[in-house]
Amino acid sequence: MDVMGDKATLFETGRFVQPSSREDTETPDETGEIADEAAEELRQRLAAEAGDVEAMSVLGAMLLRRGDLDGAEPHLRAATAAGDRAAANNLGVLLHQRGYADEAAGWWRIAAVAGSTAAAHALGRHHRERGDEPAAEYWLRQSAEQGHTLGAYALADLLEHRGDAASQQWLRVAAERGHREAAYRLARALDRNAAREADGDNGAQVPEEAEQWYRQAAARGHRRAALHLGTILERRGELKEAGRWYLTSAKDGEARAACALGFLLRDAGDTENAAVWWLRAAQDGDGNAANALGALHAERGETQTAERWYRAAMDAGDVNGAYNLGLLCAEQGRTPQAEQWYRRAAYAGHREAANALAILLLRAGDETGAEPWFSKAAEAGSVDAAFNLGILHAGRGEEQAALRWYERAAAAGHTEAALQVGMARLRDGDEQEAERHLRCAAGGGSAEAAYRLATVLDARRPPEPAHELGEPAHRRSECEEWYERAADQGHRRAQVRVGMLAAARGDVVEAARWYREAAEAGSRNGAFNLGLLLAREGSEPEAAVWWKRAADAGHGRAALRLALVYARRGELAEGQRWADRAVSLGPASVAERAERLRDALRQELSA
């Protein structure tokens, strides 16, 4: 007769665990819950003394559960001798607790052969601990195939250890029966499979089935499952629910969840509460949280506290702590200390630290020492380091080597590298490749790339078609859009070009606005064109002001314009001075005209 008593054991700790389902414990049919345990124990004891085998087994299980091993053992032995399989299983548990593992295994075998799935599970675990995997698999499979949840999970664990794909099948069996660790591990396995199929892409989408198992495990209180579920939801933009799962996990003691919750709160503008959770995570040894606290204090100017947390991050094994200490020292002008921390992080494989160290060495004039660190960082995937290597080689005149590194950085999305590749392709005459790279750089926010792309498109632009009545029909072209994008970013040549296009449309106000913006930013062409526009509008005195600014900046045509203005005013000496200036500035056509004007003014002055 199957009676109450089979109980799962945590072999790692030697402690009992309360069964999570009825299948972990073999019990007789019960008519209801017994309110008074003491009364029930007395009833079972009286029945056992009267020779009732079932009562002996139940009483032994009750005492075993309470930790009264001495009281439980005679009852369990008596019931076992009478053929009760549940008693045999529980006697095995008791003996295992006393340290008699081999004798325990003997009783588990008897119970397992009699059909106890809990005993088969315990026997399988015993053999695995002894290193006898074939025997372990046999008994765990017996337990699992007869519907024992813990047996299914233990079998899955054994098969996974061997790399057997069948492990997922048994994880699913255990998970479907409510085993939360099985649900979590099944989710992780599905997650990893999806990542492998996506060639290790960290941004690979988590399969829907994996998310469901994470959710099931998290709902049963699995804190790591709650962490993973929060991460999935955060990536998807469901921040409110992500925060709830992070909070659940963090409250259960998961430091990574506390750290993630801190970042979520910081992004929402709640730095005070973010700091609370980072502190909790950092105190539990989370290096990322310690770094976050360091950065928070550094932003507030509390450098000593920041340094303390960065050191705590290092102590937790997070190499970012050393890198951040390097950044902190560099900001304070403590270059030797910065180099020390950068080196420590770089030797530990931190690619951005290697790049920062190389920059530090390069600024100190140690190009020979800098190059290997740039190379190490670039080979480790630092896009900035690849770009910096391009600059290094370009500075030596090694154009092909520079281009290779620029191309590598551009392929990884580096805006300025894409601009350099685009310009190199333009020089080589490969306009198609140049345009492709310039578009990438311009799309990444480079004003220079936007301007150069506009000039490429402008050169291809056909003449404006005439309106049927003879009036120009202006259509906004793509090149104008790129000119304007560059102009909006403060690119002076683009501003001048946008002004010229506006003037060509007859939009004097818009043209003047762009010319003035370029001129005030230091563009001599902008100042000259603004002067032309003002002169045409009858404001020659103001035009002369802008021409003077352009001429002082080296604009020959502006100097010639000033010479003509002063000549018309009768200020011949001043006119001759600006004519001399125009001759020296050029270009040739301007110098020729300025020379004729200067000679005429000289003759006029000597007459």
Side-chain angles (χ1 to χ4, degrees), residues 369-456:
E371 186 174 355
W373 286 111
F374 277 137
S375 296
K376 185 173 182 178
E379 294 297 345
S382 172
V383 181
D384 288 334
F387 177 66
N388 289 334
L389 272 174
I391 294 174
L392 201 64
H393 286 290
R396 298 173 184 165
E398 299 165 359
E399 299 299 333
Q400 288 305 311
L403 183 58
R404 283 197 299 273
W405 285 110
Y406 284 146
E407 286 178 329
R408 183 164 175 171
H414 196 287
T415 297
E416 291 304 311
L419 169 62
Q420 293 300 322
V421 175
M423 291 166 61
R425 295 305 179 204
L426 275 179
R427 289 192 296 271
D428 294 342
D430 188 349
E431 193 173 289
Q432 187 174 354
E433 271 298 291
E435 181 184 342
R436 183 173 72 83
H437 281 95
L438 289 174
R439 283 188 183 278
C440 290
S446 170
E448 181 66 24
Y451 172 73
R452 289 181 180 271
L453 175 60
T455 59
V456 169

Side-chain angles (χ1 to χ4, degrees), residues 36 39 45 58 81 95 98 114 117 131 145 166 235 272 303-304 338 362 425 487 504 514 529 549 602:
D36 191 342
R45 189 178 294 277
V58 172
L95 291 168
R98 289 192 184 279
T117 57
E145 289 177 349
R235 284 181 189 162
E272 293 305 315
T303 54
Q304 287 186 336
L362 194 61
R425 295 305 179 204
W514 284 113
N529 287 359
R549 182 179 288 194
R602 185 177 294 148

